Amino acid sequence: MLRCYLALLLLGVIWGSNFIFMKWSTALISPMQTVMLRVIFGFIPLLVVAWYSKQLKVSQLKHLFHFAVMSVLATTFYYYGFVAGTTLIPTSVAGLLSGSIPIFTFISAFLFLRKDRPTFQMFIGVIMGFIGIVVSARPWEGAEGVNVVGVMWMLAGTTSLGVSFVYAQRQLSPLKLPPLTLATWQTGCASLTLLILTDFSGITSITSDLKTVLGVVIGLGVLGTGGAFFLYYYAIEKLGSVKASGATYIAPVVAVIIGAFVGEDMNSSIVVALVLILGGVILIQTGGRKAPLS
C-alpha cells in the first residue's frame, strides 16, 4: 500500500509542475500544438517500453473503443482545457482549479457508479470546493480579476478528467490490463487524433527557446504524460477512482509554490481558495459511510 501512495505523491508533483511548462510553451506556439507535442513525446517512451516488455497484443484491439473514449476524456480534451486555461490565467490559479478534480470525480462516481449515497459531510465538501473555485476566479473584480474564459477552460478539463476516473474504473479496470498497456493505447489514440486535427503553422517557433523545448519534451511529455498515465492507471487499479484522484491534493500546492517562485502575485484569495478546495476534497474523501462491523 505504501507504494500506491508514493505513486500518488509523485503523480501530484508531476501534475502540479505541468502548468509552468504549459505557460512557457503557449508563449511561442498554440495550445493545440502544445497538446500535440506533449502527447507525442509521452506516447513514444510508453510505446518503446510496452513493445519491449511485450505488453501490446493484437487481441487488445477489441477494446479499442474504450481506449479511444479515454483518449478524449483523459488526454485530448483534458489537456486542451488545461493548456487553453493556463494560457489565460496565472499558473497558480490554474493549479488551484486543478485541485477540484476529486470534486468532479465524486459527482461522476455518484451519478454513474451508484456505490454509496453521499453523506452530509461529502455534500459540505462539494460546496466548500465550489466556493474555493469561485474565490480563486474572483468574479467580483470584473475585468481586473482572473480571466473567466480561462477558468471555464480549466473547469472543462477538470470535469473531463474527473469523468475519466470513473469511466476507467467501470470499463477498463475489469479488463485487468497492465497500467503500461492502458497508458500506451490511450496516448496512441490521442496522438493519432491530434496529428490529424493540429495546424502545424508556426510550430517551429518553439525551437527558439531551449528551456521551453525541454519543458515540453521532458516536463509535459515524458514525465507529465507518459509517466503520469502509467501512475494514473496504477493508482486507479490499486485504490479506485475517488482515492486515486487524491493525487490532486498535491498538485495545487506545487503549482502555487512554483507560481510564487516565478514571481506571480500571491494574494490572500489564493490562500483562501487553496484551503477551501483542498478542505472540500478532504471532506469528500473521508466522508464515506462506514461499513457496519460484522
Side-chain angles (χ1 to χ4, degrees):
M1 189 60 69
L2 176 61
R3 183 181 297 178
C4 298
Y5 285 106
L6 287 176
L8 280 187
L9 175 63
L10 180 57
L11 182 58
V13 171
I14 290 173
W15 275 345
S17 63
N18 281 342
F19 297 100
I20 191 64
F21 302 137
M22 296 179 202
K23 182 73 79 173
W24 291 347
S25 180
T26 52
L28 297 174
I29 60 176
S30 73
M32 184 65 86
Q33 290 169 346
T34 298
V35 174
M36 188 271 295
L37 290 175
R38 171 179 189 169
V39 174
I40 292 292
F41 284 110
F43 169 62
I44 291 172
L46 284 173
L47 178 62
V48 170
V49 176
W51 186 270
Y52 180 78
S53 59
K54 295 182 170 43
Q55 292 198 25
L56 297 180
K57 297 178 174 61
V58 175
S59 61
Q60 294 163 358
L61 284 171
K62 63 187 176 183
H63 308 303
L64 187 60
F65 174 78
H66 294 312
F67 300 146
V69 172
M70 283 299 295
S71 77
V72 175
L73 291 176
T75 308
T76 307
F77 188 75
Y78 154 54
Y79 280 165
Y80 186 82
F82 272 28
V83 173
T86 305
T87 303
L88 301 171
I89 61 180
T91 58
S92 55
V93 176
L96 283 175
L97 294 173
S98 76
S100 63
I101 289 172
I103 297 171
F104 293 99
T105 302
F106 164 74
I107 294 172
S108 300
F110 171 67
L111 291 175
F112 301 116
L113 295 181
R114 294 287 184 176
K115 280 192 171 181
D116 298 294
R117 288 178 299 142
T119 62
F120 180 72
Q121 178 178 320
M122 288 175 153
F123 177 74
I124 295 300
V126 170
I127 299 300
M128 276 185 64
F130 277 108
I131 292 173
I133 290 171
V134 172
V135 171
S136 65
R138 306 197 296 275
W140 56 84
E141 294 183 3
E144 301 300 319
V146 177
N147 188 294
V148 175
V149 176
V151 172
M152 291 298 102
W153 272 119
M154 284 297 306
L155 294 181
T158 297
T159 303
S160 184
L161 186 64
V163 172
S164 80
F165 275 101
V166 175
Y167 189 90
Q169 181 175 339
R170 187 170 183 175
Q171 302 294 342
L172 295 179
S173 291
L175 303 180
K176 300 301 181 184
L177 294 173
L180 178 59
T181 300
L182 294 170
T184 304
W185 279 110
Q186 177 181 318
T187 53
C189 290
S191 296
L192 181 61
T193 302
L194 289 164
L195 284 171
I196 294 172
L197 295 179
T198 302
D199 180 359
F200 286 79
S201 303
I203 196 170
T204 56
S205 298
I206 195 173
T207 59
S208 64
D209 186 75
L210 178 61
K211 174 189 69 176
T212 302
V213 171
L214 293 176
V216 170
V217 174
I218 298 175
L220 292 180
V222 176
L223 295 178
T225 300
F229 276 127
F230 177 81
L231 294 171
Y232 164 84
Y233 279 118
Y234 176 79
I236 289 177
E237 178 186 350
K238 299 297 183 182
L239 300 173
S241 60
V242 174
K243 285 187 178 179
S245 69
T248 51
Y249 284 133
I250 304 117
V253 178
V254 173
V256 168
I257 292 172
I258 292 175
F261 183 76
V262 299
E264 291 183 355
D265 179 30
M266 293 293 110
N267 52 49
S268 59
S269 64
I270 289 179
V271 177
V272 172
L274 181 64
V275 171
L276 286 169
I277 290 173
L278 294 186
V281 170
I282 291 170
L283 287 176
I284 289 171
Q285 298 228 347
T286 61
R289 298 180 186 278
K290 307 301 182 188
L293 295 175
S294 55

